[in-house]
Amino acid sequence: MRCSEIVTYLEKLAPPEYACEWDNPGFQVGRSDKDVKRVLVALDATDEVIRQAEEEGADMIVTHHPLIFKPLRQVNDENFISRRVLHMIRADLCYFVMHTNFDIAPGCMADLAAERLGMIAEEPLETTAEADGVPVGIGKVGWLSRAMTGGELAGRGRERFDLPFVTVYGTEQVTQPLQRIAISPGSGGSMVGEALRKGVSALITGDIGHHDGIDAAANHMAVIDAGHYGLEHIFIPFVAEFLEQISGGELSVIQAREAFPARLF
């Protein structure tokens, strides 16, 4: 398949118009007319991911997080971002990104995360657009089929997302059983206020800072920090399966090696 054909399919899955205005998804590096036989799917275009793409003979990389967020003033080997761009160009790799458009698009990140957690999704945590008259946006608010303690919910999140650990705020302040909850994959500090306004008793997200956590607890909402990678790595198998299906077996799809960036010592 040509790179441009793959891009067309991916943009139907997660239309670029859903992306937040500050974001930079899309076709970032490479030749649109390149014949692509192998695709590597990853969360980030790290040095390790680019090396894996080369080692495994990939022609294209698809990630969730953009390598290029801001305009590059120089493309040389003195900056780690432009150095990766140069590496891709030398290796004749195409590079495509689906970020907040994938977070928001129906059936993608928000819905996938709610389904994996076992939520009965009700509405977006933050509505950003409509799809066929239905509100879509960042995260989901919904219900658990049965009430559970903060510890039980943390355990469920760790198990369902295959996580080595989670960090929990508010278990001392929020002692009632939890049932109305929210999930927001990615960096969720900015979503604490929205979750409080929606009246949920717990928020599962990533990248929660000290003050966000204790402020949420003071407002009687528990917060489970599952890590940014922790909730969003579900992008990798989902997109890999999508590419295999749309290509009818024409594409060989590789998944990036598991790489949780944080460790407990």
Side-chain angles (χ1 to χ4, degrees):
M1 296 179 71
R2 289 188 182 273
C3 173
S4 57
E5 293 179 79
I6 298 169
V7 166
T8 298
Y9 278 112
L10 292 173
E11 289 187 340
K12 286 180 181 177
L13 173 67
E17 57 265 28
Y18 284 143
C20 297
E21 61 181 27
W22 50 262
D23 199 8
N24 189 37
F27 182 40
Q28 293 200 346
V29 178
R31 297 184 293 112
S32 60
D33 65 348
K34 180 177 174 63
D35 186 28
V36 175
K37 294 182 172 62
R38 305 197 81 188
V39 181
L40 174 66
V41 182
L43 203 66
D44 299 276
T46 62
D47 293 324
E48 292 77 15
V49 163
I50 297 170
R51 280 197 296 270
Q52 182 183 352
E54 279 194 295
E55 290 166 3
E56 302 206 34
D59 303 295
M60 184 175 185
I61 299 173
V62 176
T63 71
H64 180 49
H65 296 137
L67 176 61
I68 304 171
F69 255 119
K70 299 177 181 178
L72 293 174
R73 293 183 180 272
Q74 298 88 24
V75 180
N76 55 41
D77 63 355
E78 296 179 0
N79 172 281
F80 78 96
I81 294 175
S82 60
R83 187 166 58 244
R84 290 176 188 171
V85 172
L86 282 173
H87 193 159
M88 290 182 190
I89 292 171
R90 285 199 305 268
D92 195 19
L93 286 163
C94 295
Y95 174 51
F96 184 80
V97 177
M98 294 185 290
H99 191 212
T100 52
N101 51 322
F102 185 85
D103 289 333
I104 293 166
C108 293
M109 189 72 82
D111 289 321
L112 291 171
E115 181 181 357
R116 182 172 287 216
L117 188 66
M119 285 173 57
I120 303 165
E122 186 177 71
E123 60 178 321
L125 178 54
E126 180 185 7
T127 299
T128 60
E130 286 191 354
D132 298 324
V134 178
V136 294
I138 304 293
K140 287 289 181 182
V141 174
W143 300 86
L144 296 168
S145 58
R146 66 170 182 86
M148 57 183 64
T149 66
E152 287 177 315
L153 182 58
R156 175 183 284 198
R158 190 179 63 239
E159 177 187 357
R160 296 282 177 91
F161 287 86
D162 301 315
L163 307 176
F165 65 91
V166 296
T167 304
V168 183
Y169 296 88
T171 51
E172 294 182 0
Q173 294 88 344
V174 185
T175 56
Q176 78 273 18
L178 310 175
Q179 196 156 20
R180 181 171 166 80
I181 66 168
I183 188 165
S184 183
S187 183
S190 63
M191 305 303 290
V192 169
E194 196 66 36
L196 288 168
R197 284 189 287 275
K198 292 289 174 70
V200 305
S201 51
L203 169 67
I204 301 95
T205 188
D207 293 352
I208 288 295
H210 169 77
H211 293 290
D212 295 324
I214 64 172
D215 290 351
N219 283 281
H220 302 286
M221 182 178 75
V223 177
I224 299 166
D225 186 344
H228 200 126
Y229 183 97
L231 293 181
E232 291 193 332
H233 69 91
I234 59 176
F235 170 90
I236 299 172
F238 177 81
V239 172
E241 183 179 355
F242 174 81
L243 289 171
E244 288 170 349
Q245 289 177 346
I246 60 100
S247 72
E250 186 177 341
L251 288 176
S252 172
V253 185
I254 312 158
Q255 297 186 35
R257 300 179 187 109
E258 186 177 284
F260 283 92
R263 295 287 185 272
L264 284 176
F265 283 90

